[in-house]
Amino acid sequence: MRKGQYRFVAGFLFVPVALYLIFVIWPYIQTFGYSLTNWKGQSQTFDFVGLDNYKALVEDDVFLKAIWHNVFFLVFIPVITILLALFFAFMLNAGGRGRAGGVQGVAGSRLYKIVYFFPQVLSLAILAVLFNAVYRSDGGGLLNGFLIKLGLVDADSPVEWLNEPDMVLWALLLVVVWHGVGFYLVLFSAAMQSVPRDIYEAALIDGAGRGQSFFRITLPLLWDTVQTAWVYLGIVAMDMFVLVSSMTQNMGAYGGGPDHHSDVMSTVMMRNFLYYGKSGYACAMGVVMLLLTLVLSVVTLRATRRERIEF
């Protein structure tokens, strides 16, 4: 590059980099600074307490319990969502009856993609309202009403889906999976359509079944896309604030019931920040969440890294 070109590129990048530093990096630095104080959030007067907030986190049973709930979502949300999305995408793109040895998707696959993608257009707030009606703990709830009609549940003692400690996390998990499968189905379908049909047809000629074609051809060629999906779903699992705070029983504020059995790190943080007035302590939780999310992303990318397959 010539000297004038360097100046042009530097001038072009100055404004976006400056905005990024001001509106993204600086708030992170501020949060870390506040996490070292006893800031109450209502005023600008606070005292430096060092690492006391972080030491308190280690002894906070509610926060430690919330971390395990995030780990639960971190394990099951990516696994279930990706497996279902891959299965449906493969069936839509290569699950139809072959013509003259060829490979094609099922009839009406475009319509199916729209139907599967529809939950993605709903906001999480609308989703919470919708599934609160589904999980209502009386006969008027969609799920309980259906089970009562089938005679699987007694009308006098319906299942309290969001008030059972052993059931509430699974109920929330179902909502996230239902919401996310359609998006990743479309994502994987787009990646599959870039794979030449000749590869599938050659595999069929060699006697490979659909299962072998999926594991030997589709999955290796889509691995980069699966890796990206895993990172994004991991970030979703580390958040979960909107659904938990909107759908679960209040524990003072911001959900988490029953008895903190659905609390996640974000709900505990917001409760301490806005409800209890422990803003410095909540900032320490935010820093921990940031570090865990960064570690998760790096570990996931490195653990799932494979040699790129060209076609």
CSV table of all heavy atoms in Angstrom, one decimal, residues 80-95 116 181 184-185 188-189 192 210 214 218:
chain,number,residue,atom,x,y,z
A,80,ILE,N,-29.9,-30.3,21.5
A,80,ILE,CA,-31.2,-30.6,21.0
A,80,ILE,C,-31.6,-29.8,19.7
A,80,ILE,O,-32.1,-30.3,18.7
A,80,ILE,CB,-32.3,-30.5,22.1
A,80,ILE,CG1,-32.0,-31.4,23.2
A,80,ILE,CG2,-33.7,-30.7,21.5
A,80,ILE,CD1,-32.9,-31.3,24.4
A,81,THR,N,-31.3,-28.5,19.8
A,81,THR,CA,-31.7,-27.6,18.7
A,81,THR,C,-30.9,-28.0,17.4
A,81,THR,O,-31.5,-28.1,16.3
A,81,THR,CB,-31.4,-26.1,19.1
A,81,THR,OG1,-32.1,-25.8,20.3
A,81,THR,CG2,-31.8,-25.2,18.0
A,82,ILE,N,-29.6,-28.2,17.5
A,82,ILE,CA,-28.8,-28.5,16.3
A,82,ILE,C,-29.2,-29.9,15.8
A,82,ILE,O,-29.3,-30.0,14.5
A,82,ILE,CB,-27.3,-28.4,16.7
A,82,ILE,CG1,-26.9,-27.0,16.9
A,82,ILE,CG2,-26.5,-29.1,15.6
A,82,ILE,CD1,-25.5,-26.8,17.3
A,83,LEU,N,-29.4,-30.9,16.6
A,83,LEU,CA,-29.8,-32.2,16.1
A,83,LEU,C,-31.1,-32.1,15.4
A,83,LEU,O,-31.3,-32.7,14.3
A,83,LEU,CB,-29.9,-33.2,17.3
A,83,LEU,CG,-28.5,-33.6,17.9
A,83,LEU,CD1,-28.7,-34.6,19.0
A,83,LEU,CD2,-27.6,-34.3,16.8
A,84,LEU,N,-32.1,-31.5,16.0
A,84,LEU,CA,-33.4,-31.4,15.3
A,84,LEU,C,-33.3,-30.6,14.0
A,84,LEU,O,-33.9,-31.0,13.0
A,84,LEU,CB,-34.4,-30.7,16.3
A,84,LEU,CG,-34.9,-31.6,17.4
A,84,LEU,CD1,-35.9,-30.8,18.3
A,84,LEU,CD2,-35.7,-32.8,17.0
A,85,ALA,N,-32.6,-29.5,14.1
A,85,ALA,CA,-32.5,-28.6,12.8
A,85,ALA,C,-31.8,-29.4,11.7
A,85,ALA,O,-32.2,-29.3,10.6
A,85,ALA,CB,-31.8,-27.3,13.2
A,86,LEU,N,-30.7,-30.1,12.1
A,86,LEU,CA,-30.0,-30.9,11.1
A,86,LEU,C,-30.9,-32.0,10.5
A,86,LEU,O,-30.9,-32.2,9.3
A,86,LEU,CB,-28.7,-31.5,11.7
A,86,LEU,CG,-27.5,-30.6,11.8
A,86,LEU,CD1,-26.4,-31.4,12.6
A,86,LEU,CD2,-27.0,-30.2,10.5
A,87,PHE,N,-31.6,-32.7,11.3
A,87,PHE,CA,-32.5,-33.7,10.9
A,87,PHE,C,-33.5,-33.2,9.9
A,87,PHE,O,-33.7,-33.7,8.8
A,87,PHE,CB,-33.2,-34.4,12.1
A,87,PHE,CG,-34.2,-35.4,11.7
A,87,PHE,CD1,-33.8,-36.7,11.2
A,87,PHE,CD2,-35.5,-35.1,11.8
A,87,PHE,CE1,-34.8,-37.6,10.8
A,87,PHE,CE2,-36.5,-36.0,11.4
A,87,PHE,CZ,-36.2,-37.3,10.9
A,88,PHE,N,-34.2,-32.1,10.3
A,88,PHE,CA,-35.3,-31.6,9.5
A,88,PHE,C,-34.7,-31.0,8.2
A,88,PHE,O,-35.3,-31.2,7.1
A,88,PHE,CB,-36.1,-30.5,10.3
A,88,PHE,CG,-37.0,-31.1,11.4
A,88,PHE,CD1,-37.0,-30.5,12.6
A,88,PHE,CD2,-37.8,-32.2,11.1
A,88,PHE,CE1,-37.7,-31.0,13.6
A,88,PHE,CE2,-38.5,-32.7,12.2
A,88,PHE,CZ,-38.5,-32.1,13.4
A,89,ALA,N,-33.6,-30.3,8.3
A,89,ALA,CA,-33.0,-29.7,7.1
A,89,ALA,C,-32.6,-30.8,6.1
A,89,ALA,O,-32.8,-30.7,4.9
A,89,ALA,CB,-31.8,-28.9,7.5
A,90,PHE,N,-32.0,-31.9,6.6
A,90,PHE,CA,-31.6,-33.0,5.7
A,90,PHE,C,-32.8,-33.7,5.1
A,90,PHE,O,-32.8,-34.0,3.9
A,90,PHE,CB,-30.8,-34.0,6.5
A,90,PHE,CG,-30.3,-35.2,5.7
A,90,PHE,CD1,-29.2,-35.0,4.8
A,90,PHE,CD2,-30.9,-36.4,5.8
A,90,PHE,CE1,-28.7,-36.0,4.0
A,90,PHE,CE2,-30.4,-37.5,5.0
A,90,PHE,CZ,-29.3,-37.3,4.1
A,91,MET,N,-33.9,-33.9,5.8
A,91,MET,CA,-35.1,-34.5,5.3
A,91,MET,C,-35.7,-33.6,4.2
A,91,MET,O,-36.2,-34.0,3.2
A,91,MET,CB,-36.0,-34.8,6.4
A,91,MET,CG,-35.6,-35.9,7.4
A,91,MET,SD,-35.0,-37.4,6.5
A,91,MET,CE,-36.5,-38.0,5.8
A,92,LEU,N,-35.7,-32.3,4.5
A,92,LEU,CA,-36.3,-31.3,3.5
A,92,LEU,C,-35.5,-31.2,2.2
A,92,LEU,O,-36.1,-31.1,1.2
A,92,LEU,CB,-36.4,-29.9,4.1
A,92,LEU,CG,-37.5,-29.8,5.2
A,92,LEU,CD1,-37.5,-28.4,5.8
A,92,LEU,CD2,-38.9,-30.1,4.7
A,93,ASN,N,-34.2,-31.4,2.3
A,93,ASN,CA,-33.3,-31.2,1.2
A,93,ASN,C,-32.9,-32.5,0.5
A,93,ASN,O,-32.5,-32.5,-0.7
A,93,ASN,CB,-32.0,-30.4,1.6
A,93,ASN,CG,-32.3,-29.0,1.9
A,93,ASN,OD1,-32.4,-28.1,1.0
A,93,ASN,ND2,-32.5,-28.7,3.2
A,94,ALA,N,-32.9,-33.6,1.2
A,94,ALA,CA,-32.5,-34.9,0.6
A,94,ALA,C,-33.3,-36.0,1.0
A,94,ALA,O,-32.9,-37.2,0.8
A,94,ALA,CB,-31.0,-35.1,1.0
A,95,GLY,N,-34.5,-35.7,1.6
A,95,GLY,CA,-35.3,-36.8,2.1
A,95,GLY,C,-36.5,-37.2,1.2
A,95,GLY,O,-37.2,-38.1,1.5
A,116,TYR,N,-41.7,-23.8,9.7
A,116,TYR,CA,-40.7,-24.1,10.8
A,116,TYR,C,-40.1,-22.7,11.2
A,116,TYR,O,-39.7,-22.6,12.4
A,116,TYR,CB,-39.6,-25.0,10.3
A,116,TYR,CG,-40.0,-26.5,10.3
A,116,TYR,CD1,-39.9,-27.2,9.1
A,116,TYR,CD2,-40.4,-27.1,11.5
A,116,TYR,CE1,-40.2,-28.6,9.1
A,116,TYR,CE2,-40.7,-28.4,11.5
A,116,TYR,CZ,-40.6,-29.2,10.3
A,116,TYR,OH,-41.0,-30.5,10.3
A,181,VAL,N,-35.3,-23.8,16.5
A,181,VAL,CA,-35.1,-24.9,15.5
A,181,VAL,C,-35.3,-24.4,14.1
A,181,VAL,O,-34.6,-24.7,13.2
A,181,VAL,CB,-36.0,-26.1,15.8
A,181,VAL,CG1,-36.1,-27.0,14.6
A,181,VAL,CG2,-35.5,-26.9,17.0
A,184,TYR,N,-32.3,-22.3,12.6
A,184,TYR,CA,-31.1,-23.1,12.2
A,184,TYR,C,-31.5,-24.1,11.2
A,184,TYR,O,-30.6,-24.5,10.4
A,184,TYR,CB,-30.6,-23.8,13.5
A,184,TYR,CG,-30.0,-22.8,14.4
A,184,TYR,CD1,-30.7,-22.3,15.5
A,184,TYR,CD2,-28.7,-22.2,14.2
A,184,TYR,CE1,-30.2,-21.3,16.4
A,184,TYR,CE2,-28.2,-21.2,15.0
A,184,TYR,CZ,-28.9,-20.8,16.1
A,184,TYR,OH,-28.4,-19.8,16.9
A,185,LEU,N,-32.7,-24.5,11.0
A,185,LEU,CA,-33.1,-25.4,9.9
A,185,LEU,C,-32.9,-24.6,8.6
A,185,LEU,O,-32.3,-25.2,7.6
A,185,LEU,CB,-34.6,-25.7,10.0
A,185,LEU,CG,-35.2,-26.6,9.0
A,185,LEU,CD1,-36.4,-27.4,9.5
A,185,LEU,CD2,-35.8,-25.7,7.8
A,188,PHE,N,-29.1,-24.3,8.0
A,188,PHE,CA,-28.4,-25.5,7.6
A,188,PHE,C,-28.9,-25.9,6.2
A,188,PHE,O,-28.2,-26.5,5.4
A,188,PHE,CB,-28.8,-26.7,8.5
A,188,PHE,CG,-28.1,-26.5,9.9
A,188,PHE,CD1,-28.8,-27.0,11.0
A,188,PHE,CD2,-26.9,-25.9,10.0
A,188,PHE,CE1,-28.2,-26.9,12.3
A,188,PHE,CE2,-26.4,-25.7,11.3
A,188,PHE,CZ,-27.0,-26.2,12.4
A,189,SER,N,-30.2,-25.6,5.9
A,189,SER,CA,-30.7,-25.8,4.5
A,189,SER,C,-29.9,-25.0,3.5
A,189,SER,O,-29.6,-25.6,2.4
A,189,SER,CB,-32.2,-25.5,4.4
A,189,SER,OG,-33.0,-26.3,5.2
A,192,MET,N,-26.7,-26.7,3.0
A,192,MET,CA,-26.8,-28.0,2.2
A,192,MET,C,-27.0,-27.8,0.8
A,192,MET,O,-26.6,-28.5,-0.1
A,192,MET,CB,-28.0,-28.8,2.8
A,192,MET,CG,-27.7,-29.4,4.2
A,192,MET,SD,-29.2,-30.3,4.8
A,192,MET,CE,-28.6,-30.7,6.5
A,210,ARG,N,-29.4,-43.2,3.5
A,210,ARG,CA,-29.6,-41.9,3.9
A,210,ARG,C,-28.7,-41.6,5.2
A,210,ARG,O,-28.2,-40.5,5.3
A,210,ARG,CB,-31.0,-41.6,4.2
A,210,ARG,CG,-31.9,-41.7,2.9
A,210,ARG,CD,-33.3,-41.2,3.2
A,210,ARG,NE,-34.2,-41.5,2.1
A,210,ARG,CZ,-34.3,-40.7,1.0
A,210,ARG,NH1,-33.6,-39.7,0.9
A,210,ARG,NH2,-35.2,-41.1,0.1
A,214,PHE,N,-25.8,-38.8,5.4
A,214,PHE,CA,-25.8,-37.7,6.4
A,214,PHE,C,-24.5,-37.6,7.2
A,214,PHE,O,-23.9,-36.5,7.2
A,214,PHE,CB,-27.0,-37.9,7.3
A,214,PHE,CG,-27.0,-36.8,8.4
A,214,PHE,CD1,-27.5,-35.6,8.1
A,214,PHE,CD2,-26.5,-37.1,9.7
A,214,PHE,CE1,-27.6,-34.6,9.1
A,214,PHE,CE2,-26.6,-36.1,10.7
A,214,PHE,CZ,-27.1,-34.9,10.4
A,218,THR,N,-23.0,-35.0,4.6
A,218,THR,CA,-23.7,-33.7,5.0
A,218,THR,C,-23.0,-33.1,6.2
A,218,THR,O,-22.6,-31.9,6.2
A,218,THR,CB,-25.2,-34.0,5.3
A,218,THR,OG1,-25.8,-34.6,4.1
A,218,THR,CG2,-25.9,-32.7,5.6
